[in-house]
DNA sequence: AAGCAGACCAACCGCAACATC
DNA sequence: AGATGTTGCGGTTGGTCTGCT
């Protein structure tokens, strides 16, 4: 029987105090990320490694953007969700400074409702009946630049992170007879990742590269475009 | 001002993938 | 090859905030 990730009796739970945050920040500043299991003890924290990792990734990391989502970020989330389903980490990976948790929360609290209001089923990005077949998604107003016409079955989230997942998921969208492919125009504009690509990012790119069966990732001077093939 | 409901968000939990022995 | 340990992900929960009555 596997041991639990931490001895629950000896660990704090709930909200983090400022002192705890500072300890974690100080520790990671000196030792860097990695080996989360040993972090709590080494940093003098009564937390489990998992909790430390989450706190760092979702809240303490210096490169986090925080604050409201911009309209183009909203657009991007909607587009990526239509494409990838609830793969929050993948989606967040395309939004610099945003975390999967943040994206997930934002989706659940804002975007889902927004889509519903627009007559779109957020679970599959299909238009509900009685509405025009092609609807332009462009944030809260129709004047914003990017446009998406999504009428495709979303990719059902899968637990497995297997290399073929993304391909099969995206592919399932494409292969779904109900999809109206001609309507697809996913011009997903992204910002280029920072010059020094962290390990996680690097791994993400490996994953992304597996999608290229269906998607082409091209880089323009100021943006990266994901295009359906 | 008090009570309530809904929205928001940080954090936890369980599971699966991956790594190591 | 199988068991065990670690990490990462997505779903969910629960506390806090905010607006309304």
């Amino acid at each position: 029987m596997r041991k639990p990730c931490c001895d629950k009796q000896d660990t704090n739970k709930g909200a983090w105090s400022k002192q705890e945050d500072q300890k974690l920040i100080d520790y990671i500043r000196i030792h860097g990320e990695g080996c989360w299991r040993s972090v709590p003890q080494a940093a003098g924290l009564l937390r489990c490694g998992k909790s430390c990792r989450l706190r760092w990734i979702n809240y303490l990391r210096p490169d986090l953007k925080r604050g409201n989502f911009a309209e183009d970020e909203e657009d991007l989330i909607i587009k990526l969700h239509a494409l990838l389903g609830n793969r929050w980490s993948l989606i967040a990976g395309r939004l610099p400074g945003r975390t999967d948790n943040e994206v997930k929360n934002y989706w659940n609290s804002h975007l889902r409702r927004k889509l519903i209001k627009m007559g779109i089923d957020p679970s599959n990005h299909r238009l509900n009946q009685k509405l025009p077949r092609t609807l332009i998604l462009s944030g809260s107003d129709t004047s914003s630049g990017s446009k998406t016409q999504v009428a495709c079955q979303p990719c059902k989230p899968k637990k497995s992170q297997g290399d073929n997942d993304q391909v099969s998921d995206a592919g399932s969208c494409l292969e779904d007879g109900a999809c109206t492919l001609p309507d697809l125009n996913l011009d997903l504009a992204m910002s280029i990742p920072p010059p020094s690509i962290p390990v996680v990012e690097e791994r993400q790119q490996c994953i992304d590269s597996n999608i290229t069966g269906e998607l082409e990732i091209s880089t323009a001077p100021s943006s990266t475009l994901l295009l359906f093939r």
Side-chain angles (χ1 to χ4, degrees):
Chain A
M1 188 61 181
R2 185 186 293 192
K3 273 194 300 182
C5 78
C6 53
D7 186 349
K8 312 226 174 200
Q9 291 159 342
D10 294 339
T11 54
N12 288 344
K13 285 175 92 175
W16 281 62
S17 68
K18 285 212 180 289
Q19 290 94 328
E20 286 179 307
D21 280 347
Q22 199 52 55
K23 278 183 182 177
L24 186 56
I25 291 168
D26 290 344
Y27 177 84
I28 291 177
R29 202 171 278 159
I30 294 167
H31 299 93
E33 293 179 48
C35 198
W36 290 107
R37 190 171 166 77
S38 64
V39 165
Q41 203 183 5
L45 289 161
L46 292 174
R47 295 274 178 175
C48 72
K50 210 172 178 176
S51 180
C52 292
R53 177 187 156 271
L54 212 62
R55 183 65 179 170
W56 174 255
I57 287 175
N58 286 332
Y59 201 82
L60 299 176
R61 248 170 44 194
D63 58 328
L64 290 181
K65 208 183 261 180
R66 309 201 68 78
N68 294 339
F69 280 73
E71 252 181 51
D72 58 334
E73 287 181 305
E74 282 190 11
D75 278 351
L76 193 50
I77 293 169
I78 293 169
K79 290 168 185 175
L80 288 169
H81 188 271
L83 191 63
L84 301 167
N86 295 356
R87 309 278 242 292
W88 304 117
S89 61
L90 279 176
I91 294 171
R94 292 290 166 197
L95 290 155
R98 301 296 187 185
T99 69
D100 55 352
N101 209 30
E102 204 177 3
V103 172
K104 180 172 59 183
N105 281 335
Y106 193 70
W107 172 266
N108 287 327
S109 59
H110 290 83
L111 298 180
R112 249 170 57 88
R113 218 165 301 145
K114 189 171 168 178
L115 290 188
I116 290 168
K117 252 187 186 171
M118 293 167 77
I120 298 168
D121 183 347
S123 64
N124 58 16
H125 293 258
R126 283 179 196 273
L127 289 170
N128 290 333
Q129 281 78 8
K130 295 176 186 164
L131 282 169
R133 188 84 185 100
T134 57
L135 184 72
I136 297 171
L137 305 175
S138 60
S140 53
D141 69 87
T142 51
S143 61
S144 98
S146 57
K147 297 170 183 170
T148 312
Q149 296 168 336
V150 181
C152 180
Q153 185 72 28
C155 314
K156 229 185 151 191
K158 288 177 190 170
K159 268 293 186 182
S160 123
Q161 298 286 312
D163 21 357
N164 294 328
D165 278 357
Q166 281 76 14
V167 174
S168 60
D169 279 350
S172 69
C173 286
L174 295 170
E175 286 155 15
D176 183 351
C179 286
T180 54
L181 282 177
D183 286 345
L184 275 172
N185 176 22
L186 291 165
D187 53 336
L188 304 176
M190 332 269 170
S191 54
I192 276 186
S196 62
I197 302 168
V199 179
V200 178
E201 192 78 17
E202 204 172 65
R203 193 177 142 191
Q204 188 59 63
Q205 287 186 347
C206 291
I207 294 170
D208 290 346
S209 69
N210 288 323
I211 309 176
T212 54
E214 269 70 37
L215 299 171
E216 181 181 56
I217 302 170
S218 62
T219 50
S222 61
S223 65
T224 303
L225 299 178
L226 274 170
L227 302 168
F228 261 107
R229 286 235 117 184

